[in-house]
Amino acid sequence: MTDQYQPRPEDKFTFGLWTVGSIGRDPFGDPVRTAPPPHELVHLLAEVGAYGVNFHDNDLIPFNASDSQRQAILKDFKKALSDTGLAVPMATTNLFSHPVFKDGAFTSNDPKVRAFALQKTMRAIDLGAELGAKVYVFWGGREGTESDATKDPLDAIHRFREAMNFLCEYALDNGYDLKYALEAKPNEPRGDLYFPTTAAYLSFIETLDHPEMVGVNPEMAHEHMAGLNFLHAVAQAWEAGKLFHIDLNDQNYARYDQDFRFGMQNLKQSFFLVKFLEDVGYQGSRHFDAHAFRTEDIEGVKDFARGCMRNYLILKEKACQWNQDAEIQAMVKELKAVDPDLAPGKYSQEKAAQLKAASFDADALAARGLKYEYLDQLTIDVLLGAR
Ligand code: GCO
Ligand code: MN
Ligand code: MN
């Protein structure tokens, strides 16, 4: 499809090696595709028009790779990056695949496992920094429990804090220009994961030694798994100056992490999300943490990747249309109306007394129709191309 919805580098569209490299394994079935090596995935991403590629340490360098294997892989990967011009904006650690992490990494009950997780993460941070990553994501895939008989939740919080404080100092000590982004998920693969929502991380971050270095990486599917409104989580992160990264994908509510193509399922939520990111001027990566259906071959993987970016760009255009629609904007303006006489503003005894003495006709206020049905329908008309 060649039209105005072609991705450009300034759109900052990124994919993980693990996303376009997904081999379609699920708990019930074997792989349906073979993953091309990382340097070929870089070329695939360049072909579909992405701006950048992100990775877990072991997406690039297998867990047991020898030094010479590591050197060879890195050489090919760096060549692919320079041949295509793709950036590496983000990197992360795989702290969930190896069975050693079966009871968690930073929160494991075993001090040896916790130490190993720190070692693995420091090495992965070195790798990310070497390749130019500016954001480092922490998704605690195994940081949780099946039974609370097995771990004290306070210990888990303390251990996680100790690890994050240690790793902040590590980045500072090495002069890395790196920010950390914490990614919440309510469950899966553990029965319950600690810090289940973006909001949980936002409050935790303030308890760290270097809160300025640490923000969040909210994922659409994760908040939807918890039945929450993703836009509201993103808005809270943004307002706190903590939206360092974002994982875009899609899925139905109340399911496992389906990782569908962005924009394919919940059009309206996706629309308001894109509109928000564009309206506030979010400058970070638009990272698609999703993968192609299990029915697809490598061409289908490209269709999937193109579709994520295309849907974002179509929704961005719709957001523009919504912002320029005279009727919609007149209504929005009215909703944002302020009355300086009634705004509580900063507290003073005088202001409090004045407010307490004011008279309100609550029944008359309540009787007004707010026209939200109409405004929402205008939105649907824009979205469905009927306007
Ligand atoms: C998941 C997560 C991961 C993380 C990734 C980056 O549900 O599997 O979303 O894909 O985003 O590990 O940290
Ligand atoms: Mn996920
Ligand atoms: Mn994710």
Side-chain angles (χ1 to χ4, degrees):
M1 288 182 248
T2 50
D3 50 23
Q4 73 269 38
Y5 307 116
Q6 302 305 314
R8 296 158 311 157
E10 53 269 37
D11 295 319
K12 302 254 179 73
F13 291 139
T14 65
F15 291 83
L17 284 178
W18 71 96
T19 66
V20 282
S22 161
I23 54 178
R25 184 190 287 120
D26 71 17
F28 301 93
D30 294 337
V32 294
R33 301 182 282 268
T34 48
H39 65 276
E40 281 181 29
L41 289 172
V42 171
H43 282 279
L44 181 150
L45 286 173
E47 182 189 334
V48 299
Y51 159 77
V53 57
N54 305 319
F55 56 82
H56 300 89
D57 50 352
N58 302 138
D59 298 337
L60 191 56
I61 317 284
F63 190 87
N64 282 321
S66 66
D67 259 6
S68 62
Q69 281 167 328
R70 179 190 160 91
Q71 292 316 321
I73 293 168
L74 267 177
K75 189 166 162 251
D76 289 346
F77 190 67
K78 285 180 178 172
K79 180 168 187 318
L81 291 176
S82 83
D83 287 351
T84 57
L86 250 73
V88 174
M90 178 271 258
T92 182
T93 329
N94 184 326
L95 294 173
F96 43 89
S97 291
H98 195 286
V100 70
F101 299 123
K102 64 191 176 190
D103 187 34
F106 301 143
T107 67
S108 165
N109 277 332
D110 187 334
K112 280 209 179 78
V113 174
R114 299 204 292 275
F116 175 60
L118 266 186
Q119 180 200 68
K120 190 173 192 293
T121 304
M122 286 189 287
R123 290 179 177 173
I125 288 174
D126 295 343
L127 177 66
E130 180 185 341
L131 289 161
K134 297 279 182 283
V135 176
Y136 200 87
V137 165
F138 291 83
W139 172 61
R142 299 280 174 193
E143 314 291 12
T145 55
E146 282 69 44
S147 161
D148 287 327
T150 65
K151 209 177 286 176
D152 181 337
L154 290 177
D155 285 343
I157 295 169
H158 298 154
R159 290 170 188 166
F160 197 79
R161 182 182 294 121
E162 191 177 37
M164 289 313 303
N165 283 338
F166 189 93
L167 292 167
C168 283
E169 295 295 349
Y170 180 73
L172 290 170
D173 194 26
N174 283 275
Y176 292 149
D177 174 19
L178 211 52
K179 293 211 170 218
Y180 293 161
L182 310 182
E183 177 178 344
K185 186 174 184 180
N187 58 273
E188 194 204 354
R190 298 308 295 272
D192 288 289
L193 292 173
Y194 297 119
F195 306 105
T197 61
T198 298
Y201 268 140
L202 285 172
S203 69
F204 170 74
I205 288 167
E206 296 310 315
T207 70
L208 296 173
D209 290 345
H210 290 284
E212 72 288 351
M213 283 180 69
V214 187
V216 289
N217 177 36
E219 173 168 320
M220 185 150 178
H222 296 178
E223 302 291 320
H224 283 187
M225 285 169 75
L228 299 174
N229 182 313
F230 185 54
L231 172 64
H232 295 185
V234 169
Q236 192 187 352
W238 173 262
E239 206 271 340
K242 293 295 184 192
L243 189 64
F244 289 2
H245 200 263
I246 192 163
D247 277 8
L248 301 174
N249 52 18
D250 208 349
Q251 73 164 71
N252 267 326
Y253 279 89
R255 310 226 168 160
Y256 68 96
D257 193 9
Q258 294 179 298
D259 286 336
F260 287 156
R261 189 173 79 256
F262 177 65
M264 72 156 260
Q265 195 72 44
N266 290 290
L267 270 182
K268 200 170 167 187
Q269 284 92 329
S270 305
F271 165 73
F272 280 115
L273 176 73
V274 169
K275 189 174 122 48
F276 179 86
L277 295 177
E278 297 301 320
D279 286 353
V280 298
Y282 168 73
Q283 295 293 317
S285 294
R286 275 84 173 152
H287 172 73
F288 299 106
D289 189 10
H291 47 72
F293 302 151
R294 207 161 166 269
T295 50
E296 303 309 294
D297 61 7
I298 197 75
E299 286 309 310
V301 170
K302 293 180 198 171
D303 290 338
F304 145 80
R306 289 195 180 100
C308 287
M309 299 183 283
R310 183 174 178 81
N311 288 341
Y312 188 100
L313 292 172
I314 295 171
L315 292 170
K316 182 174 164 182
E317 189 190 49
K318 296 286 179 194
C320 233
Q321 191 189 337
W322 200 91
N323 286 342
Q324 285 167 8
D325 186 300
E327 193 176 5
I328 292 175
Q329 287 313 307
M331 294 185 79
V332 169
K333 199 171 160 209
E334 229 182 287
L335 298 177
K336 285 179 179 273
V338 285
D339 183 337
D341 289 342
L342 293 175
K346 205 173 152 38
Y347 179 84
S348 70
Q349 280 188 354
E350 194 191 355
K351 188 89 203 174
Q354 193 188 332
L355 252 179
K356 279 170 91 177
S359 72
F360 295 96
D361 186 345
D363 291 336
L365 287 173
R368 288 182 312 142
L370 299 183
K371 286 209 168 304
Y372 289 180
E373 283 284 1
Y374 186 67
L375 178 57
D376 183 73
Q377 187 56 43
L378 292 179
T379 304
I380 295 292
D381 278 11
V382 168
L383 257 180
L384 299 186
R387 191 170 167 81

